[in-house]
Amino acid sequence: TLSEELPRLTASETLFVKGQVAKADAALLINGSKVGLKDGGFDEIVSLRAGDNPIELVATDTLGNTDVARFTVTLDEDPPRLVAAKLTPEKGPAGTFAALEIRASDASGLAATALATVGHGGQAANAVLRFNRATQTYQGSVPVSRRELKSAAVRTVELTDAAGNRQSYRMD
């Protein structure tokens, strides 16, 4: 039994596999390598390579009964890529604002939010953008005064993928 569920996706080359076999006298193999047990417990490190990594745990007791558990852990070390950043000046009942739409891509999927900074006049405003699955874009807005609306521009975008890789982009 594993102490913690193995992640399906990670940004770390190191995977910690910890748990307990059902019978203290059992032998355990992880990916074909013998694992030392202490009172039936194990705590091993598995090195991952980019892409899908099969993880197989095989426990065999002294009577020859075998229990097998198989997992796949995907290592993604590539940060998300910024495709486009669009700012649209808008006016509404609450005043003027800059609507943001950020398009990004990543093989393992994108996080639920992204961060952006909008410069306007001599000021800056931060925005938390939400991922819209239907349009595959991050969207959000920041209030900007009417006189500074035309000068508003996206200055930075910070993206995170589903594995936890981060990348910051600066627009000059």
Side-chain angles (χ1 to χ4, degrees), residues 21-134:
V21 293
K23 295 183 181 177
D25 64 346
L28 178 65
L29 300 175
I30 296 180
N31 287 350
S33 297
K34 189 171 182 173
V35 173
L37 298 173
K38 183 173 181 178
D39 298 324
F42 59 94
D43 190 357
E44 291 293 308
I45 296 173
V46 176
S47 295
L48 302 177
R49 57 176 168 50
D52 291 343
N53 293 268
I55 308 295
E56 182 180 70
L57 287 79
V58 179
T60 306
D61 67 17
T62 54
L63 298 175
N65 298 313
T66 301
D67 192 15
V68 179
R70 291 184 181 93
F71 307 90
T72 299
V73 178
T74 302
L75 172 60
D76 172 12
E77 297 177 295
D78 298 325
R81 188 174 61 87
L82 177 66
V83 176
K86 179 180 167 186
L87 182 146
T88 305
E90 299 281 348
K91 295 176 186 168
T96 56
F97 59 95
L100 300 168
E101 184 176 271
I102 306 296
R103 187 168 302 282
S105 67
D106 188 83
S108 68
L110 295 163
T113 60
L115 304 175
T117 303
V118 173
H120 52 94
Q123 301 179 30
N126 296 320
V128 176
L129 311 175
R130 297 208 179 274
F131 188 67
N132 181 326
R133 289 189 190 278

